[in-house]
Amino acid sequence: MADKTKATGMLAELKDGPYPSFVKEIEAAAEKNEMAQDLIGLLELSYNEKLCHWKHGGIVGVMGYGGGVIGRYVDVPEEFPNVSHFHTLRVNQPAAWFYKTEALRKICDIWEERGSAIMNIHGSTGDIILLGTTTAQLEPVFSELTKLGFDLGGSGSVLRTPSCCVGPARCEWAMFDTLKFAYEHTMKYQDELHRPYFPYKFKFKFSGCPNDCVASIARADMSFIGTWRDDILVNQDKVLWYANEKKLDIQEIVVDRCPTKCMEWDGKELHIDNRNCSRCMHCINVLHLALKPGKDRGCTILIGSKAPILEGAQLSSVLVPFMRMEPPYAEDEATAEDLPELIDNIWELWGEEGKNRERVGEFIQRIGMGNFLDAIGLEPAAEMVSHPRTNPYVFYELGEEDEEEEDE
Amino acid sequence: MTAEPAERLTDIGPPHFEKFLPPVVKANYGKWDSHEILAPGIYVHTAESGDKLYTIRAATARLISVQKVRQFCDIADKYCDGHLRWTSRNNVEFLTTKKENVEPIKKEIEALGHPVGGTGNSITNIVHTQGWVHCHSAATDASGIVKAVMDELMDEFTNMRLPGKLRIALACCLNMCGAVHCSDIAILGIHRRAPEIDHERLRKMCEIPNVVASCPTAAIRPTSVDGNPSVEVIEEQCMFCANCFTVCPSMPLNDPEIDGVSLWVGGKVSNARHEPMFSKLAVPFIPNNPPRWPEVVEAVKNLVTVWADGARPYERMGEWIERIGWPRFFEVAGIEFQKEHIDDFKHAVTTFNTSTHLRF
Amino acid sequence: MADMVSVDEVAEAMFKLIKDAAGQKQYKAMDLQKAMIELFPDRVDKKLCKESIKKLINSGRCIYTYFGGSYIELPHVEGAANPDE
């Protein structure tokens, strides 16, 4: 009988080469695991037929939760009985994906005993993905995970597992504490994360600066991206060092690439018109030992990004141009203290009026951003648009007084 | 199942991140001053206190065995007091305060088959979806194409000689899980025909009202076939999202010859220089050719090469194309511009050239 | 303000709705909330509806399902499921 722990045929051709081989990973798991063995066989079948062999399972889960488990059944169960049920668990990752080996090893032990011994570190949303087990193992795995201090992440029409960049843990550009905000929002909204109450999925992603290392602006319904308001801090000696020692062409590489042309370089000093700086990060990225973001820091909140299904892809657009994320708070500015109410207002409106499978970005497109702002109690701001409208079809809502005047 | 209800924990959330932070990170949290890339894949971060933290970054296949995770843990236990982390693009990172640990860590991780790199102006790890390993709507595999493409591009992972960063992503159907819609190069699995209905099985397996309701474009209607209730698909309205197949396994839209891969270019997420941009269609269709998808690898490599040759320092793919114009891009990339490249979905008109700005 | 309805009563009304529509219509949590507000005007609120759904799910009488969107349904064997091993 063939050795089911080894890939042969087409899959074997993916074992060589300099990049880590996923086939070798499945083989490693298959040494002692029958699910992983059948996964090799099934995948070889897919490769030969150029066909996918999975069916979606929409019912399996752990007791009380409506998310965190992705159901899968194979469509050739007679041939591959060990992956007949092959459900995945999403495990909520610790913020910024820091681990102690002790915890990781315990997760490995649970998954070797009760699942396929194969995982994704990490899935697209950020969770640890435990890839494939039977229905009967779901509850025991969940029980052991929670005893270890881990919980499931989100799937379905819930708040999806929030994620964040490495932030203040290891980055000088973290304009706010991304780990803290990710963790606190995960904990505060556990009910929304596990029990579907929304029209569709909703994602928070926290990036510490405009480089946006967690793709917040492309993938989060509510994107939090760190920024600053005061002047870029310049160490002119270090700028000169880049020019003279590192032979960096400041004019071409820094000044000419500035999107707002707010810089000048005279060969001795870099002059920045900070009023016209759009906080894009390019000059800071390049001259990172010489330039630093200012000290008046906070974040920009943007809303509505999503992948194409259904109405086409969207990027998030500005909702709150600047929010201060830590005290001291001044009275006349948006602060993190306003955040719970803002989130509640958005969820309340979209929850009540959003259609099934309508992301908040599509919802805004349908009802109009102006109406959305009215309903959640935010004032319009010029920062929210790339330019004002070009069509004259303004739906004026005239009050009684206006109409009376018209009559006269 | 015999779990005692009284012991059942729920809604505990993830462990607090502080439990897992290395002491040097805790001590300098929010007080990092600067960083330098010492070599591809190796960072040093310096705190205001003067403390230094060395990071060794290596590629991992997103699909990973518990055995490999334990091997990573062994390295972290040996050199990093049991601390390690992953990046948002499936790279593993080992963190140490001891400079003398950097080379041994690099050696050990490379010995396990994991190249060190992915920093600065390089191609870092590809983010991707599940493909035939676990997704029901996959039009192509994910891990296999990623492996084949990265094998070819590995020198650009372990070096930092490209004009700028290049981010590649792969999604195995047009649901586009992952930031495929905003990547420098996106590899996207596509179905190209409406679901085929197995009326016999559908009658037994699926609830017709739910199948009808599942279609986002209302392309599915109840009908009767040989006197039995079933559904029909208005093919012109189908956008191949597979949501009906999700609800009803008797409506497969997979097809070995019709499914395949499309390539997209010029998207970005970062705000640096140009605003974030969507990826745009470059190659409409390449057939699936497992196990190593040589046509896809070739086409991706070509895109990397023409960009690397033409771009100015720090110009991302999309910025370069914007500077030279799309006609020139198609010319230098050797890609034929076809009907499929012209948008015909909502807001298509905003993508037309409404000027005489033409480069001849 | 009228007396609030009890969690049990709301859960029961929700269950009846789901049971009567099984195989015809899938309810989302918000659909149930809206139906309850119509059924018991001024006597239910969001919090009460959430508690009632939790009760329905935790009792095992209903389950969450996911088919493109998340629904609340009667427990049943889905078309895609393979027999237990």
Side-chain angles (χ1 to χ4, degrees):
Chain A
M1 206 180 139
D3 180 1
K4 291 170 89 176
T5 67
K6 292 280 179 268
T8 52
M10 282 203 180
L11 284 184
E13 292 183 44
L14 288 166
K15 285 162 69 173
D16 300 329
Y19 185 73
S21 166
F22 73 101
V23 176
K24 284 193 196 165
E25 294 299 319
I26 306 177
E27 282 186 343
E31 272 178 34
K32 286 189 273 179
N33 188 296
E34 292 187 330
M35 290 186 204
Q37 290 167 13
D38 270 5
L39 186 65
I40 294 177
L42 178 80
L43 203 53
E44 181 66 25
L45 182 68
S46 278
Y47 268 63
N48 280 296
E49 294 181 344
K50 297 194 262 188
L51 272 182
C52 181
H53 281 287
W54 297 105
K55 295 181 286 182
H56 169 83
I59 286 187
V60 292
V62 300
M63 176 73 168
Y65 283 10
V69 177
I70 315 295
R72 287 289 177 269
Y73 301 96
V74 81
D75 69 359
V76 279
E78 298 79 16
E79 275 177 79
F80 302 104
N82 297 311
V83 290
S84 172
H85 304 212
F86 202 61
H87 313 312
T88 278
L89 294 106
R90 291 185 179 167
V91 182
N92 198 142
Q93 80 283 8
W97 303 292
F98 281 92
Y99 294 96
K100 284 278 286 185
T101 52
E102 199 187 353
L104 265 182
R105 285 182 196 277
K106 283 185 184 152
I107 292 177
C108 289
D109 293 345
I110 295 171
W111 197 235
E112 187 169 42
E113 189 194 333
R114 301 193 177 275
S116 69
I118 299 167
M119 45 215 240
N120 294 146
I121 305 185
H122 296 88
S124 299
T125 303
D127 304 274
I128 306 164
I129 306 291
L130 303 181
L131 201 66
T133 194
T134 59
T135 308
Q137 288 291 1
L138 294 172
E139 201 62 38
V141 170
F142 177 63
S143 164
E144 290 181 17
L145 282 171
T146 50
K147 277 180 199 139
L148 188 57
F150 283 84
D151 198 346
L152 297 190
S155 68
S157 303
V158 299
L159 172 66
R160 295 300 181 87
T161 311
S163 76
C164 66
C165 68
V166 73
R170 197 200 53 197
C171 183
E172 67 267 30
W173 297 329
M175 251 60 88
F176 70 104
D177 191 341
T178 52
L179 288 80
K180 171 175 171 272
F181 276 87
Y183 177 74
E184 286 180 355
H185 282 74
T186 308
M187 298 310 282
K188 180 175 162 84
Y189 300 116
Q190 279 289 299
D191 193 35
E192 286 78 2
L193 201 155
H194 298 304
R195 294 174 192 83
Y197 219 80
F198 294 150
Y200 203 18
K201 64 184 89 166
F202 194 96
K203 298 183 179 182
F204 290 130
K205 290 187 190 293
F206 301 88
S207 273
C209 85
N211 286 323
D212 198 0
C213 287
V214 285
S216 177
I217 204 162
R219 305 194 47 214
D221 297 273
M222 212 166 167
S223 319
F224 297 80
I225 302 179
T227 191
W228 71 98
R229 293 193 297 192
D230 53 347
D231 293 356
I232 291 175
L233 306 172
V234 186
N235 180 334
Q236 297 289 0
D237 291 341
K238 276 271 162 75
V239 177
L240 269 175
W241 174 81
Y242 273 105
N244 299 333
E245 303 296 321
K246 301 284 274 186
K247 304 293 175 209
L248 193 124
D249 185 340
I250 305 267
Q251 182 63 41
E252 194 213 332
I253 305 295
V254 180
V255 176
D256 292 352
R257 298 280 186 279
C258 172
T260 62
K261 306 290 171 237
C262 73
M263 312 189 133
E264 279 175 31
W265 167 243
D266 58 13
K268 291 189 196 98
E269 276 197 11
L270 187 67
H271 303 277
I272 305 175
D273 171 13
N274 279 282
R275 289 271 297 166
N276 197 29
C277 165
S278 58
R279 277 71 183 163
C280 87
M281 288 296 290
H282 172 70
C283 59
I284 297 174
N285 288 341
V286 177
L287 304 178
H288 54 92
L289 297 175
L291 307 184
K292 289 186 194 311
K295 295 280 185 200
D296 180 14
R297 297 173 168 191
C299 87
T300 301
I301 301 176
L302 305 93
I303 191 155
S305 77
K306 54 178 286 296
I309 300 285
L310 303 169
E311 299 283 327
Q314 285 179 225
L315 290 161
S316 283
S317 68
V318 173
L319 187 68
V320 180
F322 186 86
M323 178 175 276
R324 191 173 294 285
M325 300 302 267
E326 61 184 68
Y329 296 138
E331 253 184 40
D332 55 349
E333 63 180 3
T335 73
E337 287 181 335
D338 305 324
L339 212 41
E341 194 186 336
L342 178 63
I343 292 168
D344 280 353
N345 289 348
I346 292 169
W347 282 353
E348 196 75 29
L349 176 69
W350 168 65
E352 291 249 342
E353 295 180 22
K355 293 182 188 168
N356 188 19
R357 300 193 77 207
E358 186 175 50
R359 294 280 286 270
V360 75
E362 291 163 324
F363 171 69
I364 292 171
Q365 222 184 110
R366 177 162 64 83
I367 69 161
M369 180 60 97
N371 294 330
F372 179 77
L373 294 174
D374 272 351
I376 63 167
L378 278 187
E379 291 294 321
E383 287 84 355
M384 294 173 181
V385 296
S386 61
H387 58 73
R389 77 161 69 222
T390 56
N391 65 66
Y393 310 126
V394 182
F395 295 100
Y396 281 105
E397 290 158 22
L398 299 179
E400 269 179 35
E401 281 176 27
D402 302 312
E403 283 178 22
E404 275 168 24
E405 274 171 30
E406 264 183 348
D407 283 346
E408 277 163 17
Chain B
M1 273 160 270
T2 53
E4 292 289 320
E7 285 179 20
R8 200 169 180 276
L9 297 170
T10 68
D11 300 272
I12 61 168
H16 196 291
F17 56 88
E18 274 184 6
K19 283 177 64 180
F20 295 145
L21 298 179
V24 63
V25 165
K26 261 191 218 168
N28 297 287
Y29 194 88
K31 293 176 196 149
W32 294 100
D33 177 68
S34 63
H35 73 275
E36 280 178 276
I37 302 173
L38 299 175
I42 300 179
Y43 281 113
V44 58
H45 285 81
T46 305
E48 290 165 6
S49 66
D51 287 354
K52 287 189 188 299
L53 174 64
Y54 297 89
T55 299
I56 298 92
R57 174 183 293 180
T60 74
R62 187 176 89 143
L63 188 157
I64 193 168
S65 63
V66 298
Q67 288 78 7
K68 181 59 67 58
V69 174
R70 287 179 187 137
Q71 287 174 316
F72 288 164
C73 288
D74 291 342
I75 297 176
D77 282 338
K78 190 167 166 190
Y79 297 106
C80 311
D81 300 317
H83 291 280
L84 73 169
R85 73 174 291 267
W86 267 262
T87 72
S88 56
R89 300 186 77 89
N90 308 112
N91 293 307
V92 65
E93 288 185 339
F94 296 88
L95 311 165
T96 176
T97 52
K98 300 193 181 97
K99 192 173 184 187
E100 64 272 20
N101 282 349
V102 170
E103 274 309 311
I105 291 173
K106 182 169 187 276
K107 253 192 203 129
E108 291 207 20
I109 187 86
E110 283 177 343
L112 285 179
H114 294 265
V116 169
T119 51
N121 290 341
S122 69
I123 298 178
T124 188
N125 219 346
I126 297 181
V127 293
H128 65 91
T129 54
Q130 301 287 15
W132 291 335
V133 171
H134 202 255
C135 187
H136 67 291
S137 62
T140 190
D141 190 34
S143 310
I145 300 184
V146 165
K147 163 78 175 142
V149 168
M150 283 305 285
D151 274 344
E152 186 67 33
L153 297 176
M154 213 59 225
D155 284 349
E156 304 311 337
F157 181 88
T158 51
N159 282 287
M160 302 191 295
R161 60 192 182 188
L162 291 172
K165 291 179 193 299
L166 189 94
R167 299 281 180 259
I168 307 179
L170 180 148
C172 50
C173 84
L174 82 186
N175 283 291
M176 289 199 188
C177 305
V180 160
H181 59 299
C182 293
S183 294
D184 294 283
I185 299 177
I187 306 167
L188 179 67
I190 49 171
H191 299 291
R192 297 189 300 158
R193 67 157 172 81
E196 225 159 54
I197 305 163
D198 182 336
H199 295 286
E200 187 62 24
R201 285 175 71 215
L202 183 137
R203 201 155 51 89
K204 291 180 203 146
M205 290 174 96
C206 312
E207 289 172 357
I208 288 169
N210 296 347
V211 179
V212 171
S214 75
C215 182
T217 64
I220 300 177
R221 287 194 296 225
T223 186
S224 136
V225 176
D226 301 330
N228 293 314
S230 190
V231 297
E232 64 181 349
V233 177
I234 308 160
E235 298 201 355
E236 305 81 71
Q237 283 179 35
C238 176
M239 53 202 257
F240 321 128
C241 73
N243 204 47
C244 55
F245 178 61
T246 301
V247 178
C248 174
S250 311
M251 298 184 70
L253 67 171
N254 298 324
D255 186 304
E257 303 314 318
I258 292 176
D259 295 345
V261 167
S262 55
L263 297 181
W264 303 68
V265 294
K268 73 193 272 282
V269 162
S270 150
N271 282 271
R273 301 167 311 282
H274 199 291
E275 298 96 340
M277 288 189 271
F278 287 125
S279 321
K280 286 116 187 161
L281 181 62
V283 181
F285 181 73
I286 304 173
N288 275 322
N289 192 2
R292 296 198 75 100
W293 281 266
E295 298 84 359
V296 175
V297 172
E298 190 56 38
V300 170
K301 175 133 203 208
N302 176 49
L303 289 168
V304 175
T305 306
V306 295
W307 164 73
D309 287 348
R312 293 174 179 164
Y314 288 94
E315 262 180 354
R316 297 276 293 257
M317 178 77 76
E319 296 170 288
W320 167 65
I321 297 173
E322 223 167 73
R323 178 166 59 77
I324 66 167
W326 284 96
R328 182 113 330 131
F329 164 76
F330 281 99
E331 186 187 313
V332 300
I335 299 167
E336 188 192 349
F337 188 83
Q338 294 163 259
K339 179 185 163 194
E340 287 78 14
H341 287 109
I342 304 175
D343 194 351
D344 51 13
F345 197 57
K346 290 174 188 179
H347 316 299
V349 70
T350 62
T351 68
F352 301 162
N353 184 3
T354 53
S355 77
T356 60
H357 289 204
L358 299 165
R359 299 163 175 89
F360 294 112
Chain C
M1 197 176 137
D3 283 343
M4 298 300 268
V5 195
S6 73
V7 168
D8 284 333
E9 221 174 317
V10 176
E12 206 52 52
M14 285 177 172
F15 183 73
K16 187 173 181 323
L17 215 56
I18 293 165
K19 195 169 134 239
D20 291 350
Q24 296 304 314
K25 177 180 163 45
Q26 291 166 301
Y27 282 96
K28 295 180 79 77
M30 187 54 69
D31 300 332
L32 292 174
Q33 179 181 314
K34 283 178 179 167
M36 291 304 110
I37 288 170
E38 205 166 289
L39 189 65
F40 306 107
D42 298 329
R43 296 174 61 212
V44 290
D45 58 15
K46 183 178 171 180
K47 191 166 159 276
L48 188 52
C49 287
K50 278 189 144 183
E51 278 173 40
S52 307
I53 290 171
K54 207 166 178 176
K55 178 143 200 163
L56 269 185
I57 298 284
N58 287 348
S59 69
R61 296 174 79 194
C62 288
I63 53 166
Y64 284 115
T65 64
Y66 178 73
F67 295 101
S70 295
Y71 304 94
I72 296 166
E73 301 184 55
L74 300 181
H76 61 282
V77 177
E78 59 184 320
N82 294 331
D84 274 332
E85 63 272 29

